[in-house]
């Protein structure tokens, strides 16, 4: 099983963000954990991160034919990017939305996710285990 993990803006500076909200790991440390969890689930994972919305959308377009599932943490784009939502909506594979912080209990503007209604599964505020559960969903080891 091929799973693409897409991380949006500011995840590259994850270690600098509030550890109470984001877990205190660097992106490299988080990706190492993701690859370990994926290996244990017999999943081939590919992690990608960008601060460029156009590049993010291109990666989504590439996923239309190359993967069995997509895990996406659109970061702040979740709250306002209809372009990302439009691209993700065209996926015909499971889509798992991840947020390291508990967006449903933060600032009012963070509580809306344009991806929520098209996601097959959502994992929010369970740092850093969000990605473990997210990987377990397409592997069939967690319920929706």
């Amino acid at each position: 099983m091929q799973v693409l993990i897409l991380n949006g803006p500011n995840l590259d500076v994850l270690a600098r963000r509030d550890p109470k909200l984001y877990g205190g790991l660097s992106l490299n440390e988080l990706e190492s954990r993701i690859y370990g969890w994926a290996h244990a689930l017999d999943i081939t994972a590919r992690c990608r991160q960008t601060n460029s919305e156009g590049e993010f959308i291109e990666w989504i377009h590439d996923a239309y034919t190359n993967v069995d599932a997509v895990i996406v943490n659109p970061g702040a784009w979740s709250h306002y990017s209809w372009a990302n939502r439009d691209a993700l909506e065209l996926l015909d594979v499971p889509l798992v939305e991840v947020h390291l912080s508990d967006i449903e209990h933060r600032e009012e503007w963070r509580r809306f996710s344009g991806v929520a209604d098209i996601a097959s599964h959502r994992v929010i505020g369970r740092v850093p285990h969000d990605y473990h559960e997210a990987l377990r969903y397409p592997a069939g080891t967690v319920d929706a």
Side-chain angles (χ1 to χ4, degrees), residues 60-68 91-93:
I60 295 166
H61 291 177
D62 290 345
Y64 293 161
T65 58
N66 298 327
V67 300
D68 300 303
L91 289 167
D92 61 0
V93 297

Side-chain angles (χ1 to χ4, degrees), residues 6-9 11 14 17 21-22 30 71-79 96-104 106 110-116 119 121-131 134:
L6 296 177
N7 288 300
L11 273 289
L14 186 58
R17 300 188 79 182
L21 294 174
Y22 297 99
L30 179 59
I71 296 170
V72 63
N73 181 344
W77 291 327
S78 304
H79 315 300
V96 181
E97 179 185 15
V98 170
H99 293 279
L100 293 170
S101 70
D102 185 355
I103 63 170
E104 294 177 351
R106 292 195 57 197
R110 289 189 197 267
R111 295 179 189 172
F112 171 78
S113 168
V115 179
H121 187 67
R122 299 178 79 212
V123 189
I124 297 169
R126 296 192 53 234
V127 293
H129 301 288
D130 302 55
Y131 290 88

Side-chain angles (χ1 to χ4, degrees), residues 4-18:
L4 177 63
I5 296 101
L6 296 177
N7 288 300
N10 299 313
L11 273 289
D12 58 325
V13 292
L14 186 58
R16 301 180 72 118
R17 300 188 79 182
D18 185 344

